[in-house]
Amino acid sequence: MEQQFNAVLTGSDSPVEGIVDVINYTGYPQAYEFNSIDDTLHLIIAKDTDGNWIRLEGSEPYFAGWVDELVEQINLNTTNPPTLL
């Protein structure tokens, strides 16, 4: 089942709106991909073997806080999935 939801990350000048998708990423059972609506930001995160969220790929420049921001939004959306209209 594909899961997709909207997310907003803190940008250097303004918030960065985008879409998050659950993806398959070799070696990681749980991975997510963020793509900004304006195509300025791409980020893939996953849990490592210790259960910590890490950045696997993404555009530069990169703000370290984005992983934490994205994980918070993933937790909100997987706990309370959005209702489809």
Side-chain angles (χ1 to χ4, degrees):
M1 178 177 168
E2 182 178 323
Q3 182 181 358
Q4 186 178 70
F5 58 91
N6 295 328
V8 179
L9 300 179
T10 303
S12 59
D13 296 326
S14 61
V16 180
E17 297 179 17
I19 305 292
V20 177
D21 289 294
V22 177
I23 63 168
N24 292 320
Y25 198 98
T26 304
Y28 296 91
Q30 189 175 14
Y32 293 84
E33 180 175 35
F34 175 89
N35 284 299
S36 66
I37 293 171
D38 64 3
D39 290 325
T40 60
L41 176 59
H42 175 248
L43 179 64
I44 296 177
I45 66 171
K47 280 190 175 183
D48 65 15
T49 56
D50 295 325
N52 299 310
W53 287 96
I54 58 170
R55 175 182 183 248
L56 300 176
E57 293 182 34
S59 53
E60 295 291 341
Y62 164 72
F63 296 141
W66 283 339
V67 172
D68 293 334
E69 284 184 26
L70 191 50
V71 169
E72 286 178 20
Q73 294 178 62
I74 289 167
N75 288 335
L76 285 173
N77 282 282
T78 55
T79 303
N80 301 305
T83 304
L84 299 177
L85 301 177

